[in-house]
């Protein structure tokens, strides 16, 4: 088994398959403690909170959409609604997240999902040379440059973070 095979074996099988299909050789890190939240992941990795990528599923008029947001920011649902031209946007429930992505909340990666969804990536992710995202489980993460990550996710770069009032 090559190093990349061993590394990919740490990831969720669906995500490991997505890495192979994309030809991506990334280091998947496994932690004994869960890294379900951005703060837990940043502490485990030893990076800034803003270098964590949150992969969040929302419902826009009942249709799932993936929003990629840095770990130190919150999604402005009104900005997402305006970006999509939707009537109503809300956070998706755990069942819809699993149904749409194939992963549980806390382990959703930015790509390698069960279904194809529209992807919005907040431009704040581009402020970093490297960002860290979930590798399909609450215990695994991987690093990638944000431009590649957004590209592999099929994301559109937008400004959907909450700004201080």
């Amino acid at each position: 088994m090559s190093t990349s095979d061993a590394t990919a074996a740490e990831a969720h099988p669906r995500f490991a398959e997505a890495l192979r299909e994309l030809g991506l050789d990334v280091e998947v890190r496994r932690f004994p403690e869960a890294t379900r939240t951005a703060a837990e992941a940043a502490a485990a990795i030893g990076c800034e909170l803003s270098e964590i990528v949150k992969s969040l599923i929302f419902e826009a008029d009942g249709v799932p959409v993936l929003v990629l947001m840095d770990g130190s920011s919150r999604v402005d649902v009104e900005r997402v609604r305006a970006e999509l031209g939707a009537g109503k946007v809300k956070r998706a429930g755990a069942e819809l997240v699993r149904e749409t992505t194939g992963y549980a909340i806390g382990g959703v990666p930015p790509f390698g999902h069960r279904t194809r969804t529209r992807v919005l990536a907040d431009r704040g992710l581009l402020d970093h040379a490297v960002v860290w995202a979930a590798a399909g489980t609450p215990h695994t993460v991987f690093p990638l440059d944000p431009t590649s990550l957004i590209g592999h996710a099929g994301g559109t770069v937008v400004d959907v973070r909450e700004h201080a009032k």
Side-chain angles (χ1 to χ4, degrees), residues 101-132:
T101 67
Y103 307 95
I105 290 174
V108 177
F111 49 84
H113 297 179
R114 178 181 286 156
T115 60
R116 202 92 174 107
T117 57
R118 177 118 183 242
V119 180
L120 301 179
D122 189 76
R123 84 177 62 259
L125 294 171
L126 299 173
D127 293 345
H128 304 284
V130 172
V131 291
W132 294 82

Side-chain angles (χ1 to χ4, degrees), residues 12 35 40 43 49 62 65 67 69 71 79 84-85 91 94 101 138 140 144:
H12 184 286
T35 53
E40 289 170 346
L49 188 55
V65 61
V67 176
M69 178 61 66
R79 285 174 179 248
L84 298 172
R91 281 293 288 269
T101 67
T140 54
L144 197 62

Side-chain angles (χ1 to χ4, degrees), residues 28-86:
V28 175
R29 287 197 198 165
R30 172 175 277 288
F31 295 99
E33 301 301 318
T35 53
R36 277 186 180 85
T37 68
E40 289 170 346
I45 295 162
C47 70
E48 295 294 319
L49 188 55
S50 61
E51 292 173 290
I52 300 297
V53 178
K54 297 187 288 193
S55 299
L56 306 168
I57 299 290
F58 287 82
E59 274 185 82
D61 294 336
V63 177
V65 61
L66 173 65
V67 176
L68 302 176
M69 178 61 66
D70 78 79
S72 65
S73 299
R74 293 176 53 95
V75 173
D76 184 326
V77 176
E78 187 52 36
R79 285 174 179 248
V80 171
R81 191 197 66 69
E83 191 65 46
L84 298 172

